[in-house]
Amino acid sequence: MAQLAALHAPAQLEIVLISADRARTVAQRREEWGWLGWLPHVRPAHGQDCRLLLAYDRDQAAARTGELTRRLDAGPLGADWAAADPSRVREAAAAHTGPRTLLVVDGDPGTAALRDLTGRLASHGPAAGIHVLVLAETPPATPASPLAETYEAACAAAPAFRDCGAAALLSGDVATAVRTFAVAGGRPCPPGTTATADAVSAAWAERFARALAPLKAEPAGGKPQRPAAAALPAAARLLDELGLARATPASLMARWAEATEQGQGVGGLVELVLGSGQAGPVGAELVHDGPHLLVTGPAGSGRTELLRSVAASLAAAARPDRLGLVLVDGAGGERGDGLAPAAELPHASAHLVAADPVRMREFAQALGAELKRRAELLEGVPFAEWHARREVSDRMVAPRRPAPGEQLGGDPDQPRTGTLRLRASAVRTEPAPGPGPLPRLVVLVDDYDALVAPALGSAGRPAAGSVVRALEAVARDGAALGVHLVASTARPDLTADTELVRGNPLRVELEPPDRPGPGRGRLHGAGGRPVPFQGGRVTGRIPRTATLRPTVVPLEWDRMGDPPARRPVRELGNGPTDLALLASALDRASHLVSAVPVLFPAAP
């Protein structure tokens, strides 16, 4: 294990220990494995809910095996990895290129379920880069002892021993002789190789581990591949998932500048973050994955909060002069504030509450006119291609014509001598004429079903049809015009015949609020597996950071595998929400970069 730790960086190899065999006391196991806790390879780098990847009791062992089996579920073998044949396991193991994991199982892990899981990890784990080292204590043996009997005794002490492909037997008066041999079909294949063990003492191991302790699991040349090992959190904060825990104008301008350098200008991508997943933030991209997004879920599942998070995520990713938001509350304000908090974002160009028929008809006419205006400007050219052509035309320049009395040649009063003399003069360049920039537009509609089938007596019922026709036009023609639709519905049966559902491959399904809480859902893309996530909350009060002070706790190796006891982060009862904090920072950042928000309806 010391050789593995010395030859592989913490980002390339993680070490997991399961030492829950009750044949020895906890104090004995701590004394034998305490040195391992200093290694940086046992620190959780993939979202595991523990301080160190150690297991000294059965609960911790269940947590460690659960993390590894979730990684296998997300691996190339899929959720049915336990039924995969050995040939598929070998092919997947040969193709694995990411970080690897060494699982050390010291003795019997405890329950029958843990014995079965560790055995399956030993046989199928290499498909996801998981390799198992099993230690089993048997009665004393000599080099002349029957190998089969000793091997069976080891399998009885640690059932996962039988699923390993190779084995080693320590024997002799002081266990210095080691005999290695291959295993096929659960049976040893002698004769193998005999050598003298190059063992080290516990004191040497602790000195070695303490020397490596300052290292961090961060590669020098890029980001490590992070396998999905973490369970979904019970709650998530959107600003943390966006990397904006401290939302400042400087951090937002840096994000906008980075997006511009990567070619995500006005005609570029439309990326959004929904929340926290098993391997980090979960999001989508509307241009290639969408072009639209449909959110479904029952009452109380967090649909409105997710739309607010989508609006905040879009605003944080693009300048307000390159992306505009149009907000529509289809329920007419009957379900609380709706999308009103998101109207504080500088990107929000309009906010319609479907309760006034006059305003609803004006909105439908304005949205239809905007689609028509964009169609006339683009003239059948796709939105991204039109912007690419315009960027080329902007780089074309025309020289200024010489003013009266100026000559590009010499003085007209002087005789020509055959030598061309150029007068130094400033040459002004002018961009080629053309229409102004055409930003992308995202229409967010909450309670789309309330517009498609308004309730009897609803104030907006007379004009709901006109708004739905305008939204249907967005769903049908908006992709080519740079207009995207994000809508939520509590009654998928009412919106099943709409254009949004018929032509949209990107959707989010939220679970009922009692499993386990609001915001839990799955993202379904085009041709991919559903991605579970916990929606990022954006309307919670900013946390009271003054309570997060440094603390000192005793170092107990046997408790390092437990989930860390976190202090509850209390929200400021009268402080601003995360959305208000983000809106204020966005407004200041937009003024600093002179970004004029998108107008809707557009100026004539």
Side-chain angles (χ1 to χ4, degrees):
M1 292 177 64
Q3 292 185 55
L4 290 173
L7 297 176
H8 300 84
Q12 300 171 339
L13 174 70
E14 70 174 6
I15 299 177
V16 182
L17 170 68
I18 296 180
S19 181
D21 193 346
R22 296 183 178 180
R24 290 169 296 158
T25 64
V26 174
Q28 290 175 330
R29 287 179 271 135
R30 285 180 54 177
E31 183 180 357
E32 292 175 351
W33 292 107
W35 68 274
L36 193 63
W38 297 107
L39 283 179
H41 302 72
V42 300
R43 298 171 191 159
H46 306 309
Q48 297 96 327
D49 193 17
C50 60
R51 291 188 179 91
L52 295 176
L53 300 176
L54 307 177
Y56 285 98
D57 58 33
R58 295 180 178 180
D59 292 336
Q60 296 175 358
R64 301 291 84 79
T65 55
E67 294 159 359
L68 296 176
T69 52
R70 281 195 295 270
R71 188 178 305 178
L72 275 173
D73 291 341
L77 300 181
D80 57 343
W81 57 269
D85 56 82
S87 61
R88 286 187 59 195
V89 175
R90 287 192 296 269
E91 293 175 0
H96 182 78
T97 58
R100 298 186 181 273
T101 299
L102 174 66
L103 171 61
V104 181
V105 182
D106 183 15
D108 185 6
T111 64
L114 290 174
R115 298 188 192 101
D116 181 67
L117 280 178
T118 52
R120 291 182 182 273
L121 287 171
S123 57
H124 295 75
I130 301 171
H131 305 275
V132 180
L133 174 63
V134 183
L135 305 178
E137 187 171 353
T138 61
T142 64
S145 300
L147 181 62
E149 294 182 5
T150 306
Y151 179 79
E152 291 298 328
C155 293
F161 203 90
R162 193 180 298 276
D163 295 292
C164 297
L169 173 63
L170 284 171
S171 59
D173 295 337
V174 289
T176 55
V178 59
R179 181 181 181 184
T180 61
F181 50 90
V183 177
R187 296 182 178 276
C189 300
T193 304
T194 302
T196 301
D198 186 13
V200 296
S201 64
W204 182 95
E206 182 165 350
R207 290 197 304 270
F208 169 80
R210 282 177 177 265
L212 296 186
L215 297 180
K216 295 183 178 180
E218 296 179 359
K223 296 181 179 179
Q225 301 180 16
R226 297 200 168 192
L232 290 178
R237 185 182 180 223
L238 180 69
L239 294 187
D240 292 337
E241 301 304 321
L242 293 176
L244 293 172
R246 297 180 61 187
T248 61
S251 61
L252 291 168
M253 289 188 294
R255 289 171 63 92
W256 296 344
E258 183 180 0
T260 302
E261 292 175 358
Q262 295 176 354
Q264 300 179 20
V266 181
L269 306 180
V270 182
E271 296 180 340
L272 56 92
V273 174
L274 298 171
S276 176
Q278 293 177 330
V282 172
E285 200 282 309
L286 293 182
V287 175
H288 297 99
D289 300 337
H292 311 296
L293 174 65
L294 177 65
V295 179
T296 62
S301 59
R303 300 188 320 274
T304 302
E305 181 67 14
L306 186 61
L307 285 191
R308 296 169 182 167
S309 299
V310 168
S313 176
L314 291 171
R319 294 165 37 144
D321 58 344
R322 297 180 176 178
L323 179 72
L325 303 177
V326 176
L327 312 176
V328 180
D329 278 315
E334 298 176 0
R335 293 198 314 107
D337 295 336
L339 299 180
E344 300 178 9
L345 298 169
H347 301 65
S349 305
H351 178 214
L352 172 69
V353 179
D356 186 350
V358 176
R359 286 201 59 199
M360 294 171 66
R361 292 190 181 95
E362 292 176 351
F363 171 83
Q365 294 173 0
L367 187 56
E370 177 65 18
L371 296 179
K372 183 178 179 181
R373 182 181 75 91
R374 289 171 176 258
E376 293 175 352
L377 286 175
L378 298 177
E379 296 179 345
V381 180
F383 187 81
E385 183 179 346
W386 184 84
H387 274 281
R389 292 182 183 180
R390 190 177 186 280
E391 290 176 0
V392 173
S393 65
D394 285 345
R395 290 194 293 266
M396 298 174 61
V397 296
R400 178 179 65 87
R401 293 185 179 182
E406 292 183 346
Q407 297 288 336
L408 291 180
D411 190 342
D413 297 332
Q414 298 293 333
R416 297 179 181 271
T417 60
T419 301
L420 181 63
R421 294 183 300 171
L422 296 180
R423 173 176 294 180
S425 60
V427 179
R428 182 177 58 194
T429 60
E430 298 177 354
L438 195 62
R440 288 193 181 271
L441 195 66
V442 179
V443 183
L444 293 97
V445 184
D446 195 15
D447 295 310
Y448 189 35
D449 54 305
L451 289 172
V452 174
L456 293 176
S458 174
R461 183 181 177 89
S466 59
V467 176
V468 170
R469 286 190 293 272
L471 297 176
E472 288 285 272
V474 172
R476 182 177 59 253
D477 306 324
L481 304 177
V483 184
H484 305 273
L485 180 61
V486 178
S488 72
T489 175
R491 296 284 305 276
D493 55 317
L494 299 180
T495 57
D497 295 333
T498 60
E499 191 70 29
L500 174 63
V501 176
R502 287 196 295 266
N504 179 47
L506 193 62
R507 72 184 190 279
V508 170
E509 293 181 357
L510 296 177
E511 300 178 358
D514 55 343
R515 296 184 303 176
R520 183 65 57 93
R522 293 178 176 270
L523 172 64
H524 298 262
R529 290 189 299 179
V531 180
F533 71 94
Q534 175 64 39
R537 189 184 180 195
V538 75
T539 56
R541 303 290 177 180
I542 63 175
R544 189 188 298 270
T545 54
T547 62
L548 299 181
R549 298 172 181 172
T551 58
V552 178
V553 296
L555 189 63
E556 299 176 354
W557 293 124
D558 55 322
R559 302 269 48 100
M560 288 296 169
D562 292 337
R566 301 180 179 90
R567 284 189 175 187
V569 179
R570 295 182 297 171
E571 295 180 352
L572 289 174
N574 56 352
T577 64
D578 282 345
L579 185 57
L581 176 68
L582 179 63
S584 176
L586 286 169
D587 185 65
R588 285 180 289 167
S590 61
H591 281 86
L592 291 174
V593 299
S594 301
V596 180
V598 176
L599 295 178
F600 181 84

